[in-house]
Amino acid sequence: MNTEQERQAVRDWIAQAARIAVLTGAGMSAESGVPTFRDATSGHWAQFNPQDMASERGFRAAPARVWDWYAHRRQGVAAVQPNAGHLALAAFAQRHPGRLTVITQNVDGLHQRAGSTGVLCLHGDLMADRWLDTPRACCRLEAALPGSPPRCAACGNLVRPGVVWFGENLPAGVIEAAQQAAQDCELMLVVGTAGAVYPAAGLAHQARQAGARVAVINPAASELDSVAHAVLRGTAAQLLPQLLGEPCPHGAATPSGETA
Ligand code: APR
């Protein structure tokens, strides 16, 4: 667990930091009930290998199946709401413009739906579409022919989800912006990530090496605990409102399930 003294220390660091970077992972969305990758490969989808489906090769081999799997995942995410942790981060950034940058490994779009802006989405955005091949002059996403998957009426280019697939590079410019935020911040909050996937996890090491304080928020041990000056054993929806001075916004999901 964590003590009030540890929480107060992190609150003081937040108050003192001119620039705060927040690195989030799947645990950030746990209290929103976002289906985990495992959930998304259950039932009918259990027969398919997710690594095949979350890859360009897999999409080219079975575009309709992969497109339908992502449509299924989009429905799952659209059915849930940002939690009190997402809302606390967005409210803090709105009260303190320019001080807080969210860097997320999540593709669920919940930070954006909570009101966070300028979110650095390292692994893309499940709700975003893009063309499979380099778009030609004829390719206009808003005019794509409906279908599974949609395609360009003029050249047949296929629409694909705007997420980073296995074997793909991170979106151009995003990791560079995240590294800059890690380099410049006085405080990094690491929330809800096992810290096992790079380059995302490397951002916490970079912040530490650049002289920032690092605080981990996670109910369980993570690979970034060793990088942290403070480790708060607790959940995102529980701790972030307490740390960021935001009352649980009315109607936001809280750990115990009742709304504030
Ligand atoms: N609040 C905060 N942290 C939580 C909560 C919660 N309510 N519930 C779980 N966690 C923590 C877990 O203890 C774990 O450390 O969230 C972390 C989730 O770890 P992973 O599922 O490995 O997710 P993540 O670290 O984001 O994975 C990184 O790997 O699967 C790929 O591309 C995918 O973006 C993902 C990347």
Side-chain angles (χ1 to χ4, degrees):
M1 279 314 286
N2 58 82
T3 63
E4 176 49 33
Q5 189 180 1
E6 288 170 321
R7 290 194 296 273
Q8 189 53 50
V10 176
R11 283 193 200 98
D12 293 345
W13 297 346
I14 289 169
Q16 293 155 14
R19 285 161 301 192
I20 303 167
V22 185
L23 174 65
T24 70
M28 179 75 228
S29 298
E31 286 146 296
S32 294
V34 171
T36 61
F37 200 70
R38 204 170 300 108
D39 299 334
T41 52
S42 59
H44 163 69
W45 301 104
Q47 62 189 297
F48 306 112
N49 176 347
Q51 294 232 1
D52 286 342
M53 295 210 280
S55 70
E56 181 177 337
R57 182 175 51 80
F59 181 70
R60 288 185 185 278
R65 177 195 302 155
V66 173
W67 180 262
D68 290 349
W69 181 57
Y70 277 95
H72 165 70
R73 293 180 61 193
R74 286 176 171 177
Q75 283 165 3
V77 168
V80 302
Q81 295 301 321
N83 61 52
H86 295 108
L87 294 168
L89 286 169
F92 182 93
Q94 283 151 18
R95 294 194 323 172
H96 304 280
R99 271 183 69 195
L100 186 143
T101 302
V102 174
I103 305 162
T104 190
Q105 299 171 85
N106 300 338
V107 297
D108 57 34
L110 289 180
H111 283 298
Q112 296 91 312
R113 284 173 54 194
S116 289
T117 56
V119 178
L120 298 175
C121 299
L122 297 176
H123 297 158
D125 182 349
L126 181 63
M127 300 315 208
D129 285 336
R130 53 182 261 218
W131 291 109
L132 173 64
D133 295 311
T134 305
R136 299 183 193 163
C138 57
C139 295
R140 290 180 23 250
L141 267 182
E142 70 283 358
L145 279 182
S148 176
R151 63 173 62 233
C152 174
C155 70
N157 197 353
L158 291 174
V159 175
R160 54 160 286 182
V163 296
V164 177
W165 277 335
F166 288 104
E168 291 186 326
N169 295 326
L170 271 56
V174 177
I175 188 64
E176 293 80 1
Q179 288 166 338
Q180 192 61 55
Q183 190 68 28
D184 295 346
C185 70
E186 285 80 30
L187 172 64
M188 176 173 278
L189 302 179
V190 178
V191 186
T193 180
V197 171
Y198 286 76
L203 295 167
H205 294 270
Q206 179 179 2
R208 175 81 192 238
Q209 284 154 16
R213 285 198 178 108
V214 178
V216 162
I217 294 164
N218 195 322
S222 81
E223 295 190 27
L224 294 176
D225 290 2
S226 58
V227 183
H229 296 90
V231 175
L232 301 185
R233 284 285 172 256
T235 71
Q238 196 177 49
L239 284 175
L240 286 175
Q242 294 176 25
L243 297 173
L244 293 164
E246 303 296 333
C248 272
H250 179 67
T254 56
S256 52
E258 80 259 2
T259 53

